[in-house]
């Protein structure tokens, strides 16, 4: 089955700096790659996603890039703010996000230092 | 519009006891999922459903059963709870190939 590796497990950056989280996947048939943010005591919340027919997607301070050849994708957060502190998960799916669920990475704890 | 609601939010069980976790969604989504989250791990898929009356196994289905008798509800059952099932359980739902929406979890401890 699919295997998703996520790095780093913990990332500490100064407020205002950029943060980058990287994921690799094993199954070349995967075609949907969402990123979730999880705050303490809450469920994961989708922040951005990308499909395999697109190489990059941006939404304000957040961007995701996908390299299908290398089977890796990355989350970029610019101008980090204290409210960006949370655990971030990448995930992959072969069904475009639908029928057979998501395979998640183990998460990155992002800490924004004031 | 509540989205995905999980009941209960917390529960403590003794080994061997049984219980059912309830997930309800009000978005008319076809697909529903149960995941478990353990410390240092991502979420792992237990079971999922692609429509009313259907269920399928995910990555870690052993020790769990599910039912989807109504489109809006997805039940996760533990017939004989074991300490290894101590975890946070998340339910999610989606419409077709659209993103999954998650509930806020059920924290389950088994002593």
């Amino acid at each position: 089955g699919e295997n998703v590796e996520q790095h780093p497990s913990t990332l500490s950056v100064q407020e205002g700096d950029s943060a980058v989280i990287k994921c690799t996947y094993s199954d070349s048939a995967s075609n949907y790659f969402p990123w979730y943010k999880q705050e303490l005591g809450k469920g994961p919340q989708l922040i951005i996603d990308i499909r395999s027919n697109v190489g990059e997607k941006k939404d304000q301070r957040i961007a995701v890039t996908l390299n299908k050849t290398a089977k890796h994708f990355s989350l970029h957060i610019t101008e980090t703010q204290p409210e960006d502190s949370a655990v971030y998960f990448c995930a992959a799916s072969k069904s475009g996000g639908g029928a057979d669920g998501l395979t998640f990475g183990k998460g990155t704890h992002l800490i924004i230092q004031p | 519009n509540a989205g995905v609601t999980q009941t209960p939010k917390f529960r403590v069980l003794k080994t061997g006891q049984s219980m059912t976790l309830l997930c309800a969604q009000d978005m008319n989504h076809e697909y529903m999922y149960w995941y478990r989250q353990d410390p240092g791990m991502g979420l792992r898929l237990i079971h999922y459903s692609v429509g009313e009356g259907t269920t399928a196994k995910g990555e870690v289905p052993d020790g769990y059963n599910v039912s989807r008798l109504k489109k809006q509800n997805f039940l996760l059952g533990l017939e004989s709870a074991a300490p290894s099932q101590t975890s946070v359980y998340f339910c999610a739902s989606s419409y077709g190939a659209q993103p999954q929406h998650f509930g806020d979890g059920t924290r389950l401890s088994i002593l």
Side-chain angles (χ1 to χ4, degrees):
Chain A
E2 175 65 278
N3 182 49
V4 177
E5 299 281 343
Q6 182 172 347
H7 299 281
S9 57
T10 303
L11 177 61
S12 181
V13 301
Q14 290 293 125
E15 182 178 349
D17 287 350
S18 296
V20 180
I21 302 170
K22 299 181 179 181
C23 289
T24 60
Y25 61 98
S26 61
D27 192 338
S28 57
S30 288
N31 57 16
Y32 174 66
F33 308 93
W35 285 89
Y36 284 86
K37 176 183 181 182
Q38 186 178 29
E39 297 176 334
L40 196 62
K42 296 290 187 180
Q45 186 172 27
L46 181 78
I47 55 172
I48 196 167
D49 58 4
I50 192 166
R51 298 186 188 270
S52 59
N53 58 346
V54 175
E56 185 174 358
K57 184 177 179 180
K58 190 173 182 180
D59 182 4
Q60 299 183 10
R61 296 186 298 109
I62 295 173
V64 57
T65 59
L66 171 65
N67 183 326
K68 287 188 294 183
T69 302
K71 290 190 282 190
H72 69 71
F73 56 112
S74 300
L75 177 71
H76 304 253
I77 305 175
T78 59
E79 301 172 9
T80 53
Q81 301 170 2
E83 55 264 34
D84 294 330
S85 293
V87 179
Y88 291 80
F89 291 96
C90 63
S93 168
K94 288 187 287 188
S95 60
D100 62 355
L102 297 168
T103 300
F104 283 84
K106 293 184 178 180
T108 296
H109 186 193
L110 177 62
I111 302 165
I112 307 301
Q113 303 278 7
Chain B
N1 191 346
V4 178
T5 302
Q6 293 184 232
T7 309
K9 293 186 178 358
F10 305 93
R11 186 73 184 268
V12 178
L13 289 178
K14 294 182 179 179
T15 297
Q17 286 185 317
S18 64
M19 79 161 295
T20 300
L21 282 63
L22 172 64
C23 177
Q25 54 93 5
D26 60 3
M27 297 174 282
N28 200 34
H29 285 170
E30 286 293 328
Y31 302 152
M32 296 187 75
Y33 316 83
W34 277 108
Y35 294 87
R36 61 178 287 174
Q37 184 177 33
D38 300 299
M41 305 285 288
L43 285 76
R44 291 181 293 169
L45 184 66
I46 304 171
H47 285 281
Y48 62 99
S49 169
V50 299
E52 183 178 323
T54 73
T55 63
K57 295 180 179 180
E59 179 187 353
V60 289
D62 294 342
Y64 305 95
N65 55 75
V66 288
S67 64
R68 183 99 181 268
L69 299 179
K70 293 182 179 180
K71 185 178 184 179
Q72 63 269 34
N73 295 336
F74 195 28
L75 279 64
L76 178 70
L78 286 73
E79 289 188 348
S80 179
S84 60
Q85 294 177 305
T86 293
S87 189
V88 182
Y89 291 86
F90 287 99
C91 176
S93 70
S94 69
Y95 181 78
Q98 298 304 310
Q100 294 183 17
H101 298 260
F102 284 82
D104 282 337
T106 293
R107 285 145 186 83
L108 183 60
S109 292
I110 299 163
L111 307 177

